[in-house]
Amino acid sequence: MVEYSFPGKVVLVTGSSRGMGATILEGFARAGATCVVNYFADDAGQNLRDAGLTAERCRAFGVTVHVLDADVSNYEAVETLMKRVVELAGGLDILVNNAGILRDRSIRKMTPSDWHAVLQTNLDGVFFCSKLAAEILRDNGRIVNIASIAGIVGFHGQANYAAAKAGVIALTKVMSKEVARRGITVNAVAPGVIRTPMLDGLKAEVLAEYEKQIPVGRVGRPEEVAHVVLFLACEESGYITGQTLPITGGWF
Ligand code: NAP
């Protein structure tokens, strides 16, 4: 892994109880940042337990870690989240908008509720977190949005997901211009197929078909996305903004 250094920086990764978000936050912990784990509380307490495990792995690098519950699709919850970040960590330097869900169906079968659920979490959530984080981000801060190649290509059965991710890519471009004078950069990454719990619902034959199509011949690892997020978040990347970088193993 490339050596990055983020001492004295505070980073919040939304949806970091598991999957790519957890790996990204661990990357920042390894690099010395104060970490804020965000999870979305469920009745069974599973997400809180997962968030606790992410926090433990981050603390193993000797950094301070805070664990905060918030549903990113709920504006008031995000307001409280940002207030708590300031109370606990004194401010924010880096926001990674990672929280996301899938509700794949053809448009014919997609219900308004499938549509709204994905748009609310994957696009409204990015807008709420970015808007409210901008109020507490220190100058020269960073926002990195986890979009998807789906928002560029548009795969069968993903109208809601593709529309949300395309929206994130557009939001990235607009916001980068609005905060540029503060030295804040706003970029996105567009991963292809990355091995995380999000793929659990995928049939083995579908995954094998993807692997046949991906030029490097395999799905990606969360660490490979984390590396690019840390690259975009580092001080030396201050002249890159408004961009979306595909991480797809050459796919598309
Ligand atoms: P994942 O394993 O399902 O993780 C998603 C995370 O988002 C979980 O921690 C989940 O938290 C959280 N989350 C969901 N709804 C939330 C809400 N309303 N508020 C706060 N947190 C919420 O998926 P992943 O693969 O790591 O995906 C991470 C991001 O990468 C997503 O934006 C996804 O669209 C994007 N992406 C993934 C792939 C891929 O192939 N895996 C490819 C391209 C893009 P809880 O567990 O607490 O609910």
Side-chain angles (χ1 to χ4, degrees), residues 3-202:
E3 286 283 323
Y4 288 101
S5 185
F6 288 92
K9 301 290 185 192
V10 178
V11 57
L12 162 64
V13 180
T14 66
S16 45
S17 55
R18 60 184 156 83
M20 207 137 44
T23 305
I24 292 167
L25 199 64
E26 283 165 48
F28 280 106
R30 180 193 301 273
T34 294
C35 294
V36 183
V37 184
N38 158 246
Y39 72 101
F40 180 16
D42 60 325
D43 292 342
Q46 184 56 47
N47 294 337
L48 173 59
R49 285 191 289 280
D50 288 348
L53 294 175
T54 304
E56 235 173 76
R57 289 194 297 271
C58 289
R59 285 193 188 105
F61 293 105
V63 298
T64 302
V65 182
H66 307 288
V67 179
L68 294 174
D69 161 29
D71 170 1
V72 297
S73 68
N74 178 321
Y75 191 75
E76 286 73 31
V78 177
E79 279 184 312
T80 307
L81 170 67
M82 297 304 167
K83 271 190 206 134
R84 294 288 292 141
V85 169
V86 173
E87 282 163 15
L88 293 167
L92 185 66
D93 297 286
I94 300 157
L95 166 69
V96 180
N97 281 307
N98 165 80
I101 59 168
L102 283 177
R103 295 277 185 282
D104 289 1
R105 277 159 181 225
S106 64
I107 293 175
R108 192 172 63 81
K109 292 185 187 151
M110 188 173 287
T111 63
S113 135
D114 294 328
W115 173 266
H116 288 306
V118 171
L119 268 290
Q120 282 164 359
T121 298
N122 297 12
L123 183 56
D124 293 5
V126 175
F127 169 63
F128 296 163
C129 291
S130 303
K131 174 184 166 61
L132 294 167
E135 292 175 11
I136 64 165
L137 267 178
R138 287 188 266 258
D139 284 358
N140 303 314
R142 302 279 182 262
I143 297 179
V144 183
N145 297 321
I146 311 300
S148 169
I149 195 69
I152 299 171
V153 175
F155 300 108
H156 183 278
Q158 292 200 312
N160 48 5
Y161 188 78
K165 295 298 187 181
V168 168
I169 291 169
L171 174 61
T172 301
K173 293 179 196 174
V174 173
M175 191 169 183
S176 68
K177 296 186 174 79
E178 295 186 2
V179 294
R181 290 299 162 107
R182 293 169 56 197
I184 297 173
T185 66
V186 187
N187 289 292
V189 296
V193 187
I194 309 295
R195 194 171 292 285
T196 71
M198 194 175 254
L199 297 194
D200 287 352
L202 223 55

